[in-house]
Each structure stands twice: as C-alpha cells, then as structure tokens.
C-alpha cells in the first residue's frame, strides 16, 4: 500500500508542474456557474415561487456549484488507458511490481486534489457572493466522504471505457456520451428533484447520480439518514463496478497475450 | 486589383486540395471516422435533453421556448462543426505555435494562417453538422427561405468562431503556450451561445457581443433564420468581418515574435 | 550568380526564466524574469549557383536558426540577406516557390497518407500542372529509388525510406535551392549514405544548390564542397572541404599485428606509440615529419606482419582540433 501512497503524493506535486494550466482549468467553473445564476434566477422568477421541489434558489445554486466542482475535478483518463492498450504498453507494465489499476487510481487521485480544491474555492467564492452563505458546515465532512465514494464510481466507469479499447478502435465517442450521461442522468445541469417522477426514479437507480447528485444534494441538505442511504448505495456500486473492471482488465490481457501487443 | 480575383481562385483551389487530403486521411480509418460522427450526434442529443427537461418544467424563459433552443442548437452546432471539419487545426493552434510547427507552413508559398488552420480536420465536426441541420429542421422554423438564411448564417457564424479561436490561440505568441486559456475562452463562447440570449442583460449582454462574441454564434444567426432584417444580417456580417480582420492582424503581429521552437518555451 | 548572400546576420531570442518549484512558478506569473539568448552573432557568407555548402557545429550553435532565417521562417534581429534575389522575411511567399526545404525533425509528408498523395498535394500547393506533377513524380521516384514505397502510408515506412520520400517531396517543384536541416538525423549508416548519394546526384543532374546543416561530419565529407563551422553563433572556420582535409588530415594511424610476440618496450623514432599489445602495436605519425613508406618499412623489419590497417583521423576529431585552435587563439589574445 505504501508505494501507492508514494505514487499519489508524487502526482500531487507533479500536477502543479503547469500552474497556468490548472488555474485556467479551474476558472472554467466561474464561467459555468455565472451562466447558471442567470438561468436559475429567471427560472425561479417566472415560477414566482421561493422553493421548487423543496429547493430554494440558494440551495439550487450551491447544489450546482458542488456538482460543477465534481464534474471539473473528475479525472479523464479513459484515453490514457486506451492509448496504453493500443500501443501495447499495458503489457510492459505487467512486469512492473505494481497493479496497473491501483497505479491508475493513485495517479488520478493525485491529479484530482488541487483541481478539487481550486475549483471549490473559485466556485464557492462566486456563489457566496451571488446568493449568500453555503449550507451548514457540519455536512461538509459527510459530503467529502460521499464525494470520495462517488469519485471511485467515476474511476471504475472511466476505466471501463478505457479498457473498451481492447475491442473498439476509438473510445473517444464513449467518453463524450459518458460525460453527457453524467450531465443529464447524474444531475449536473439540473437537480434531479426538478425531473418528472418517472425520470427521477430511473436516474436515481443508475450509478451516474451516485457520482454527482448524491454528494451535491447531501451538501445542501446534510442529514445522517440521507448520508447512510447514499453511502450504502455508493459502496454497492463501487463493489459491483470494481469487480467488473478487474474482470475486463484480466480478459483484455488474455486477449492481448493471444493476439500479441 | 486585376490579380486579386485570380489569386482568390488560386487560394480556393489550394484549399480544396488540402480538404481533399484531409478527407483521405480520415478515410484511412473509416470505422473510427463513422464512430466519431455518430458519437458526436448522440453526444449533442444527450446534451440537448437538458433543455427538453428544463422546458418541460418551465415552459418559457422570457419569451424563449424549446423550439428556439432547437434553432439555436441547430445554428451553433452546425457552425461549430463547419469550423471543426474544415479548419480543425484552429483548435490546436497554440500547440502548433509553441512547438514550432509553423515552420512547415512558413516554408510553403501559401498564406500561412489559412494553410495552418485548414491542415487538419476534426472528423466529429461532420457529426455536429448533421446534428445541427437536423435540429434546425425539427425546430418548427423551417422554410425554404429560412434554409437559405440558415446557410448564410452558418457561414458567417463559423467564420466568426474560427476568427475567435485564432485570436485566442495567437496569445501563445506573447504568453507562451496558451492552450489552456484558449480552451477556457472557447468553452465560454460555446456555453454562452447555447443559452437563451434573453437571460442576459446590461454588462453581460455587452460582453456577449464584444469580448466573448457568443451572440454571433448563437442568437444573432438564429434570429436571422427566423426573420431577415438588415440589422440581423448586417450585424452578423460586420461582426464576422471585424473578427476575421482582427484575427489576421493579431496573427501577423504574433508571427514577428515567432521563435520556431528555437527558444525554450515555458508554459503559462 | 550568387544564390545566397548574407551579411552580418544576428538573431536574439528572449526567453522566460522560471525558478524551480511551485514558488518559482507563482513568481514567474507576476514578475517574469527574462533572459536574452544570442543565437546568431554576425554571420556572413555566400553560396554560388550549384554549390554544396555545409554548416556544421554542435547543438545550439545557431545552424538551424540561420537556415530558418534564410527560408523566411524567422525574422532576423539585424543584418541583411538575399536568397535567389529575395529578402526572405519580406518576400517569403515568392521565395517559397523557388526553394525546397527539409527539416529532419519536422516531417512534411502527411503521416496517414501514402507519399504520392502528399506529392500531388504539393503539386497543387506549388501550382503545377497535373501532367507535370505526374512526370516529375515518376522521375523522382526513379532517382530516389522509391517507386515501391509511394503507395504505402507514410506511417508504415522506415525512417530512412521516409527521409528519401521527404527529400523527393521537397524537389517536386524543381527548386533552385535546397535547404536541409539535419537531413541525416537518426538514420543508420547505410541509410545516411543513400541519402547523401541522392542529394549529390540531384545537385549534379539539376544544378540545384544545396545548403545543409548537420552535426555529423560524415555529411560534409561525403556531400559538401565547402564547409562553414559555427559555434556559439559565430563562424569559426570556413574553407573548401578538400583544403580542410589537406590542412588537417596530415596525421595517420597505423595498426599492425605480428606472427610472433613482440617485446614490451617496442620503440621507433619520430612516431607516436599509442598502444603496445602482446602481438600488435598501434602508432600515429605526421606525414610532414616522416614519410609513410619509411614507417611501414621499419615496421616490416621488426617481424613477420600478419595484418596492417592505416586510417585517417575522423573529421570529427579534426573539427574538435579546429575548435581547440580557435579557443586557444582567443585565449592567447586575451
């Protein structure tokens, strides 16, 4: 375990190699949230209501702020994995004394840290200025735990897309579609509470909402019961997807061994 | 000015030759090519679901309904697609400049900027084009005259968009590799273009017509499709022309500072 | 007619400096530190029609910068240049119709397409008639022995094959001047020799002038009539290659092997004993001090010869020697 911790720490420092890159990327949150404030102000205005489906304008914007933070700090490594599948370097990594998937996990976790902190600070400052103070701080640690569990679900799904390179030529289209599933069924652009009930049921049953909606909703209405239910669901998905990823990995390698790199 | 007409024809001939080579390159991987096109159409459709869901609940936003969103998506996606498919290298011009890859275009007897931006095609752009046209046809604003205005609007909007990308990426001449900044600016213009313009007022609206000219890529061509007014057409034409002129000037000024990778570049 | 004429060319770059680590990065955003690098410091030379000139020097000597100024890629900081009668940075496009360029590390062939497609595209870029292009391609294909490679996507060619196609591509429009920046970089010995031969053949057949940069002395020896050695952005030596050889290739090295063991204290007057083994000896001498036949006769007297090799020092050693001389002269002046 020690070596993965070391890989993680190295990557945290390494992610700062191009500070301009990381700052401009994090500033994108200002852009998206700024547009959201226009949209949802008008939406609440035209509805002439202070709460919609139990959320105030302030709740909605803090929800979207956390959802955007998750989206923008989410690692996108499907193409990296796909590349190492394509050029066969995934096979060389086999002789290194570490597990390929755990290595990817540590690297991407390291990459996430500063992006998460910076987007959270930028986004938080903007929304605080626009609609007032954030939700009660006692929910923050719970949110962080839920975030981490959601992060793992995203990791598994992204790894699956990357490993799809064993069977398809180009995985890029899958990464786009996955992103849009997170947008819509994960509740990034709109809280799932605003959906018609049938669509809410579908969305909440799928893993995407556990990455996005779950932690973001918990952030605005922290509550122990909600937290335990969420975490149970998340861990079930992590377990299921984790098994799926390692099966896909092993199968892919066998394919590689048969067909050559 | 006698020579200018024939030189225009010469540049067009050259441009078609480059586009042909691009298409041939893409065809080398025809399965990936088709997958990219279909994938992009699906991607856009999923993204649009947001507005379907949104308007299901809120019906209208200051006079804009779902059909207006269909129209705006139609115009913006098609314009984006045209730029990506025909001038795909405009999206990665920062890297071309910072890594000294302009050398090649500079050693050829052709306009450097035109050559550099058209030298790569992004296949998924074709998916955007097909999606955009479909979205327009579904918007309920279709008419034959409207289709003509749609084509004119798309040509001008994609010109404006390409010019904006060139300006953003040309910052690399002064700042060192500005790819991340240019990406942020591109996200800004796209995001703003894809929202109802009626949301914005005052300084925000001013911004969308100037620094981040998203209006030229979304609402203005969309209203041109709805209705031909001199204000729509003239404004769009003027906007695109000014941006294009600015892009050419900025790029030329930058070229004097071009270092061809001879000096060590530091990323900003 | 002079093809290239440059005088007192200078080029300085301003680079940003950044201290190590996070702190350095943050500081460089707010208060950037600049450093001026003088890549080319007052270079003058000219090249006549049909000439073959080599610019040689270590990495960072200013060779590529010079060639980039001559193609119009870079603006010089100071100085004058005329290439085929054009000022490159002012009349870049007109000039481009008449020169061919090959940058060893910057391929111009389209990676995913067969070379012939790029050739045809170049025909369009240089505005040639389709019929002309066809003829020219078959001529070049034969001259460069690439007939069988033309239909293969470039990504599947070996580096040597690719480089031959690159040079052929740069000659599609019958340029009067060919500028080659490190054409042999990364190639193996056989591929290098083949490239050199074809370039020389094209020079002889079409009288195209050639300017090339390299840090491989072999390129000069095999290809150039005249050589300019630059270092730190300045010319340190220029002459005909034949003169260079005559002036500096005056030492020889001889290695011999005998049938029977030789004494450990083997000696000979007027030569430099480099190495003494059990059966063999290696020595060097200057032909101006002692004729080669004398040395060989003496060696033969010492025992039954089994094997003998005579070699010139490599041009690389010669160039190292020239650098030393120049540096030495500078120190003496100081």
């Amino acid at each position: 375990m020690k070596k993965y911790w070391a890989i993680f720490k190295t990557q945290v420092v390494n992610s700062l190699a191009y500070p301009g890159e990381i700052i401009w990327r994090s500033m994108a949150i200002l852009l998206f949230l700024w547009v959201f404030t226009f949209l949802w102000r008008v939406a609440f205005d035209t509805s002439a209501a202070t709460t919609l489906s139990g959320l105030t304008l302030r709740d909605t914007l803090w929800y979207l702020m956390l959802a955007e933070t998750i989206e923008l700090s989410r690692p996108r490594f499907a193409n990296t994995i796909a590349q190492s599948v394509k050029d066969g370097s995934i096979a060389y990594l086999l002789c290194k004394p570490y597990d390929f998937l755990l290595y990817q996990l540590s690297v991407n976790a390291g990459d996430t840290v500063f992006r998460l902190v910076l987007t959270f600070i930028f986004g938080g400052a903007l929304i605080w200025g626009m609609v007032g103070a954030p939700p009660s701080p006692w929910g923050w640690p719970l949110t962080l735990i839920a975030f981490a569990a959601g992060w793992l679900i995203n990791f598994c799904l992204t790894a699956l897309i990357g490993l799809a390179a064993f069977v398809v030529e180009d995985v890029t289209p899958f990464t786009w579609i996955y992103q849009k599933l997170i947008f819509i069924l994960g509740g990034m652009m709109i809280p799932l509470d605003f959906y018609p009930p049938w669509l809410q049921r579908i969305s909440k049953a799928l893993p995407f909402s556990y990455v996005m909606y779950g932690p973001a909703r918990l952030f605005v209405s922290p509550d122990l019961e909600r937290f335990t239910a969420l975490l149970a669901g998340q861990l079930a998905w992590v377990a299921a997807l984790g098994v799926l990823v390692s099966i896909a990995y092993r199968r892919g390698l066998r394919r590689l061994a048969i067909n050559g790199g | 000015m006698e020579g200018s007409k024939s030189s225009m024809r010469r540049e067009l001939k050259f441009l078609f030759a480059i586009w042909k080579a691009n298409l041939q390159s893409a065809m080398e991987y025809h399965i990936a090519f088709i997958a990219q096109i279909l994938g992009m159409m699906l991607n856009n459709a999923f993204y649009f679901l947001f507005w379907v869901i949104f308007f299901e609940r809120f019906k209208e936003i200051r006079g804009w309904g779902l059909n207006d969103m269909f129209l705006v998506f139609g115009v913006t996606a098609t314009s984006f697609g045209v730029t990506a498919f025909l001038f795909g290298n405009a999206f990665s011009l920062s890297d071309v400049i910072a890594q000294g890859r302009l050398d090649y275009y500079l050693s050829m007897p052709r306009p450097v900027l035109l050559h550099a931006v058209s030298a790569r095609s992004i296949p998924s752009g074709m998916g955007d084009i097909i999606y955009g046209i479909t979205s327009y046809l579904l918007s309920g604003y279709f008419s034959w005259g409207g289709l003509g205005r749609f084509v004119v609007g798309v040509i001008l909007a994609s010109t404006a968009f390409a010019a904006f990308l060139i300006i953003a990426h040309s910052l690399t001449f002064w700042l060192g590799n500005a790819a991340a900044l240019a990406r942020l600016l591109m996200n800004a213009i796209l995001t703003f273009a894809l929202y109802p313009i009626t949301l914005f007022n005052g300084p925000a609206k001013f911004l969308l017509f100037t620094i981040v000219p998203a209006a030229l890529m979304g609402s203005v061509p969309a209203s041109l499709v709805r209705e031909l007014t001199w204000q729509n057409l003239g404004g769009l034409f003027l906007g695109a022309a000014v941006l294009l002129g600015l892009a050419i000037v900025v790029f030329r000024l930058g070229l004097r500072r071009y270092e061809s990778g001879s000096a060590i570049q530091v990323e900003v | 007619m002079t093809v290239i004429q440059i005088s007192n060319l200078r080029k300085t770059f301003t680079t940003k400096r950044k201290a190590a680590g996070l702190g350095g990065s943050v500081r460089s955003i707010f208060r950037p530190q600049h450093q001026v690098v003088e890549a080319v410091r007052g270079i003058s030379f000219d090249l006549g029609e049909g000439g073959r000139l080599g610019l040689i020097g270590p990495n960072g000597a200013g060779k590529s910068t010079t060639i980039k100024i001559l193609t119009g890629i870079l603006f010089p900081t100071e100085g004058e240049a005329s290439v085929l009668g054009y000022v490159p940075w002012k009349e870049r496009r007109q000039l481009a119709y008449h020169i061919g360029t090959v940058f060893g590390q910057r391929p111009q062939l389209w990676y995913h397409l067969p070379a012939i497609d790029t050739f045809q595209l170049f025909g369009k870029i240089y505005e040639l008639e389709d019929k002309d292009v066809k003829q020219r391609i078959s001529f070049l294909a034969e001259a460069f022995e690439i007939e069988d490679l033309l239909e293969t996507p470039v990504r599947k060619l070996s580096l040597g094959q690719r480089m031959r196609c690159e040079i052929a591509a740069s000659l599609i429009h019958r340029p009067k001047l060919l500028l080659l920046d490190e054409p042999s970089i990364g190639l193996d010995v056989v591929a290098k020799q083949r490239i050199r031969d074809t370039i020389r053949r094209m020079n002889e057949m079409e009288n195209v002038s050639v300017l090339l940069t390299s840090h491989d002395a072999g390129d000069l020896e095999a290809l150039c009539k005249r050589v300019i050695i630059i270092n730190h952005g300045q010319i340190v030596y220029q002459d005909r290659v034949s003169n260079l050889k005559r002036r500096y290739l005056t030492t020889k090295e001889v290695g011999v092997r005998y049938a029977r063991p030789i004494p450990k204290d083997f000696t000979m007057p007027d030569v430099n004993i480099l190495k003494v083994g059990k059966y063999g000896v290696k020595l060097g001498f200057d032909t101006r001090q002692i004729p080669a036949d004398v040395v060989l006769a003496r060696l033969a007297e010492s025992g039954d010869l089994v094997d003998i090799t005579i070699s010139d020092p490599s041009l690389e050693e010669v160039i190292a020697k020239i650098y030393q001389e120049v540096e030495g002269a500078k120190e003496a002046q100081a």
Side-chain angles (χ1 to χ4, degrees):
Chain A
M1 244 18 227
K2 231 173 167 178
K3 59 183 150 196
Y4 298 110
W5 176 244
I7 294 167
F8 167 77
K9 277 194 301 192
T10 314
Q11 193 57 31
V12 171
V13 177
N14 195 26
S15 71
L16 290 172
Y18 297 114
E21 166 87 31
I22 194 171
I23 288 170
W24 292 123
R25 247 189 96 145
S26 311
M27 283 193 16
I29 196 171
L30 299 177
L31 177 75
F32 300 127
L33 287 179
W34 196 53
V35 181
F36 277 152
T37 56
F38 279 101
L39 180 69
W40 290 101
R41 274 210 172 118
V42 176
F44 273 81
D45 273 359
T46 46
S47 312
T50 47
T51 58
L52 293 170
S53 310
L55 291 169
T56 63
L57 177 63
R58 201 185 66 149
D59 292 338
T60 308
L61 286 172
W62 275 107
Y63 168 93
L64 291 168
M65 179 261 155
L66 200 76
E68 273 294 346
T69 303
I70 294 171
E71 168 60 19
L72 290 174
S73 62
R74 183 168 73 80
R76 284 141 223 265
F77 56 97
N79 271 316
T80 320
I81 290 194
Q83 195 53 46
S84 56
V85 169
K86 280 273 143 58
D87 60 26
S89 60
I90 199 167
Y92 297 113
L93 291 172
L94 286 178
C95 37
K96 292 265 171 64
Y98 53 64
D99 182 89
F100 177 73
L101 291 170
L102 286 179
Y103 172 80
Q104 289 294 337
L105 187 105
S106 326
V107 167
N108 285 297
D111 256 343
T112 306
V113 173
F114 270 102
R115 280 215 297 266
L116 177 68
V117 172
L118 278 176
T119 37
F120 187 82
I121 291 173
F122 285 143
L126 179 76
I127 295 303
W128 198 322
M130 291 269 190
V131 292
S136 98
W138 82 266
W140 291 27
L142 298 185
T143 308
L144 190 64
I145 295 167
F147 165 81
W151 188 94
L152 284 174
I153 296 175
N154 171 67
F155 175 83
C156 293
L157 289 168
T158 311
L160 277 176
I161 294 173
L163 291 172
F166 278 116
V167 277
V168 299
E169 206 172 332
D170 179 13
V171 302
T172 329
F174 295 100
T175 64
W176 300 333
I177 291 163
Y178 172 58
Q179 187 196 31
K180 295 310 173 303
L181 288 172
I182 292 259
F183 275 22
I184 304 301
L185 300 177
M188 192 208 77
M189 315 239 341
I190 204 170
L192 295 183
D193 312 66
F194 295 173
Y195 281 14
W198 63 271
L199 191 56
Q200 266 191 60
R201 267 198 301 280
I202 296 174
S203 306
K204 284 181 182 170
L206 292 169
F208 313 110
S209 67
Y210 286 95
V211 178
M212 197 60 82
Y213 172 77
R217 192 69 180 80
L218 180 70
F219 182 61
V220 287
S221 334
D223 141 17
L224 218 50
E225 207 174 315
R226 188 191 283 277
F227 170 70
T228 41
L230 171 64
L231 196 65
Q234 284 178 319
L235 293 180
W237 273 113
V238 170
L241 289 169
V243 170
L244 213 59
V245 170
S246 68
I247 290 174
Y249 175 62
R250 257 159 263 275
R251 282 221 151 171
L253 283 187
R254 218 176 308 147
R255 218 182 146 91
L256 198 70
I258 296 163
N259 298 336
Chain B
M1 291 305 284
E2 196 229 346
S4 75
K5 199 173 159 196
S6 78
S7 90
M8 182 93 161
R9 249 211 357 246
R10 275 159 54 201
E11 301 315 351
L12 275 178
K13 256 172 102 176
F14 151 72
L15 210 51
F16 281 120
I18 289 269
W19 285 337
K20 200 177 122 200
N22 273 326
L23 205 58
Q24 283 170 329
S25 284
M27 291 305 178
E28 282 281 310
Y29 304 90
H30 52 277
I31 294 176
F33 182 58
I34 291 166
Q36 289 239 331
I37 291 174
L38 294 177
M40 187 46 85
M41 292 172 66
L42 213 57
N43 169 63
N44 292 348
F46 270 120
Y47 183 67
F48 193 74
L49 268 182
F50 163 69
W51 289 107
V52 176
I53 296 165
F54 184 90
F55 280 106
E56 176 69 28
R57 170 129 199 174
F58 296 103
K59 306 302 175 209
E60 208 185 83
I61 287 291
R62 286 195 185 148
W64 273 51
L66 188 59
N67 56 339
D68 296 288
M69 287 318 295
F70 266 112
L71 179 58
V72 162
F73 263 67
V75 177
T76 308
T78 313
S79 311
F80 180 91
V82 167
T83 306
F85 198 68
L86 298 182
F87 302 108
N89 231 12
F91 291 78
S92 39
L93 204 53
S94 289
D95 292 334
V96 172
I97 295 166
Q99 294 164 8
R101 280 187 280 138
L102 275 184
D103 288 10
Y104 167 71
Y105 310 108
L106 280 163
S107 63
M108 291 287 180
R110 303 263 67 129
V112 180
L113 181 58
L114 183 68
H115 194 171
V117 296
S118 55
R120 190 170 70 97
S121 170
I122 299 174
S124 61
M126 188 45 83
D128 287 308
I129 295 174
I130 299 171
Y131 175 85
I133 293 172
T134 315
S135 181
Y136 165 58
L137 296 179
L138 295 175
S139 70
Y141 283 108
F142 178 79
S143 69
W144 289 107
L147 185 64
R149 295 194 295 275
F150 179 83
V151 172
V152 173
V154 163
I155 291 172
L156 292 173
S158 53
T159 308
F161 180 54
F164 180 74
L165 287 180
I166 291 166
I167 296 168
H169 284 284
S170 292
L171 293 174
T172 293
F173 285 121
W174 288 272
L175 303 176
N177 198 344
L181 172 61
R183 201 177 166 73
L184 176 65
L185 288 169
M186 182 187 82
N187 275 329
I189 191 171
L190 278 179
T191 308
F192 286 121
L194 291 174
Y195 277 76
I197 188 97
T198 48
L199 286 179
F200 308 103
N201 44 32
K205 200 160 181 173
F206 178 74
L207 184 81
L208 299 190
F209 278 92
T210 52
I211 301 170
V212 181
L216 294 179
M217 230 193 134
S219 64
V220 179
S223 43
L224 176 67
V225 175
R226 274 193 220 101
E227 181 186 15
L228 176 69
T229 67
W230 287 116
Q231 207 188 351
N232 286 337
L233 184 62
L236 186 57
F237 185 84
L238 198 70
V242 167
L243 269 178
L244 186 61
L246 203 62
I248 292 171
V249 169
V250 169
F251 186 80
R252 283 231 175 118
L253 286 177
L255 216 47
R256 306 193 117 252
R257 302 175 50 94
Y258 177 58
E259 297 190 332
S260 157
S262 297
I264 303 129
Q265 294 277 355
V266 179
E267 296 231 3
V268 179
Chain C
M1 190 198 140
T2 34
V3 174
I4 298 178
Q5 194 162 29
I6 63 177
S7 66
N8 201 26
L9 211 59
R10 283 174 188 282
K11 176 74 187 176
T12 54
F13 293 108
T14 314
T15 54
K16 255 192 223 165
R17 276 172 54 161
K18 181 180 94 68
L22 181 59
S25 304
V26 173
R27 243 176 294 138
S28 81
I29 292 173
F30 296 108
R31 222 199 296 143
Q33 301 268 313
H34 294 287
Q35 183 186 24
V36 176
V37 179
E38 286 187 87
V40 175
R41 310 195 269 185
I43 283 185
S44 314
F45 65 81
D46 50 57
L47 171 66
E49 198 176 347
R52 295 194 303 260
L53 171 64
L55 285 180
I56 200 157
N59 286 334
K63 309 175 299 250
S64 296
T65 305
T66 307
I67 227 169
K68 281 172 185 164
I69 293 172
L70 292 177
T71 50
I73 290 172
L74 288 173
F75 281 70
T77 312
E78 221 183 288
E80 279 161 42
S82 156
V83 179
L84 298 167
Y86 299 105
V87 178
W89 51 95
K90 287 187 186 147
E91 298 158 294
R92 185 190 62 75
R93 280 186 66 179
Q94 291 94 311
L95 174 63
Y97 282 106
H98 306 292
I99 59 172
T101 49
V102 176
F103 293 95
Q105 287 153 312
R106 297 266 158 77
Q108 45 189 344
L109 296 171
W110 286 48
Y111 189 64
H112 298 296
L113 296 181
I116 191 153
D117 285 343
T118 305
F119 286 12
Q120 269 152 3
L121 177 66
F122 277 21
K124 290 277 189 298
I125 288 179
Y126 288 102
E127 298 172 36
L128 310 172
E129 297 294 325
D130 289 351
K131 211 176 69 202
D132 267 7
V133 175
K134 231 177 176 171
Q135 270 177 10
R136 186 70 176 159
I137 290 174
S138 61
F139 167 75
L140 290 171
E142 208 189 311
F144 283 75
E145 298 168 49
I146 49 174
E147 292 104 323
D148 303 334
L149 311 175
L150 283 180
E151 316 269 321
T152 315
V154 169
R155 64 174 185 282
K156 290 179 183 155
L157 299 179
S158 76
L159 192 58
Q161 294 172 330
R162 200 183 299 174
M163 194 43 88
R164 267 183 288 148
C165 292
E166 287 277 346
I167 297 174
S170 72
L171 289 167
I172 273 277
H173 55 296
R174 295 190 175 79
K176 295 181 194 133
L177 169 65
L178 187 58
L179 296 155
L180 305 139
D181 192 11
E182 303 281 359
S184 63
I185 201 159
L187 300 181
D188 62 52
V189 186
V190 181
K192 267 182 187 170
Q193 198 50 47
R194 221 163 159 186
I195 293 281
R196 291 164 185 158
D197 288 346
T198 36
I199 295 173
R200 198 169 58 201
R201 198 146 11 106
M202 289 311 292
N203 164 265
E204 282 158 3
M205 271 195 291
E206 307 204 317
N207 203 31
V208 50
S209 315
V210 176
L211 172 65
L212 68 89
T213 72
S214 177
H215 62 262
D216 180 346
D219 283 344
L220 286 189
E221 223 164 348
L223 189 50
C224 297
K225 294 184 200 161
R226 206 152 61 87
V227 58
I228 290 178
I229 301 178
I230 53 180
N231 201 11
H232 304 302
Q234 284 172 314
I235 295 183
V236 295
Y237 178 87
Q238 61 175 320
D239 205 346
R240 299 184 62 82
V241 172
S242 53
N243 286 346
L244 176 85
K245 280 188 185 163
R246 205 172 312 131
R247 224 176 111 189
Y248 288 95
L249 297 186
T250 51
T251 56
K252 298 267 175 214
E253 275 178 25
V254 179
V256 287
R257 268 179 76 79
Y258 293 103
R260 270 174 281 276
I262 53 165
K264 271 213 173 88
D265 54 347
F266 182 91
T267 54
M268 191 183 289
D270 302 324
V271 302
N272 231 345
I273 305 286
L274 299 172
K275 210 170 123 194
V276 179
K278 197 172 177 195
Y279 291 93
V281 63
K282 200 172 179 188
L283 51 84
F285 61 95
D286 191 326
T287 47
R288 286 170 300 190
Q289 282 170 15
I290 176 168
D293 56 340
V294 177
V295 177
L296 291 181
R298 282 186 193 160
L299 282 170
E301 282 162 18
S302 309
D304 298 333
L305 283 172
V306 179
D307 190 15
I308 183 159
T309 54
I310 306 174
S311 57
D312 289 329
S314 70
L315 201 51
E316 258 152 69
E317 289 168 53
V318 171
I319 287 163
K321 203 165 151 192
I322 295 174
Y323 287 150
Q324 273 174 12
E325 277 184 19
V326 173
E327 298 298 319
K330 265 190 211 153
E331 269 168 41
Q333 269 179 6

